[in-house]
Amino acid sequence: MRRMGRPGLVGMAARTAVVAGTATAVSGNVARRQAGKQQASAQGQAADVQYAAEQQQAQVDAAVQEALAAQAAQQAAAQQAQEIAALQAQLAAQQAPPAASAPAPAGGVDVVAELQKLAELKNAGILDDAEFAAAKAKLLG
């Protein structure tokens, strides 16, 4: 005969075990999902930090390149200024008339003006160094 009504001690223990096992399985799944979400979030944050660092490094590299270009331009301008000063000194030395020389003919070419024109053409980029040197030698020689 089967007993009706409340379950016995063994039946109650079995139900309790089933409920406890189910609760453990559910809490384990919840914990694993939360850990996975946290790990994905941490990886996303690490990627964001790395991206920001790469962007900052790219900006620093661009600033360094601009500074190097500016420095090169300053050096080129200083070199041109030295060349002009040397040409002016050379012209001044050539312009000083010798004490016993005869005056230049009236129809002669103004060497200083021509050299200044050549220097302007060179600075404007119309003449290169070789053309400038050839024209200067022609005028002076």
Side-chain angles (χ1 to χ4, degrees), residues 5 13 17 29 34 37 42 52 56 88 100 106 113 137:
N29 283 341
Q34 287 177 345
K37 287 180 182 179
Q56 188 176 13
Q88 288 175 345

Side-chain angles (χ1 to χ4, degrees), residues 2-125:
R2 199 169 153 193
R3 198 172 138 184
M4 297 292 231
R6 289 198 223 159
L9 185 61
V10 174
M12 183 143 348
R15 272 191 205 151
T16 304
V18 168
V19 170
T22 303
T24 302
V26 169
S27 69
N29 283 341
V30 169
R32 275 192 300 262
R33 284 183 187 158
Q34 287 177 345
K37 287 180 182 179
Q38 288 175 350
Q39 184 179 9
S41 175
Q43 288 175 348
Q45 289 174 349
D48 290 344
V49 168
Q50 182 179 2
Y51 177 76
E54 289 172 356
Q55 291 299 317
Q56 188 176 13
Q57 184 62 39
Q59 290 174 348
V60 168
D61 290 345
V64 167
Q65 291 298 327
E66 288 177 16
L68 289 175
Q71 184 180 12
Q74 287 176 346
Q75 287 176 349
Q79 184 178 6
Q80 285 181 348
Q82 288 175 348
E83 289 175 2
I84 290 172
L87 285 174
Q88 288 175 345
Q90 189 179 25
L91 286 176
Q94 291 176 358
Q95 284 179 351
S101 70
V109 176
D110 186 12
V111 177
V112 175
E114 292 297 320
L115 285 173
Q116 287 175 346
K117 288 179 186 177
L118 287 175
E120 288 175 9
L121 290 173
K122 181 181 176 216
N123 289 338

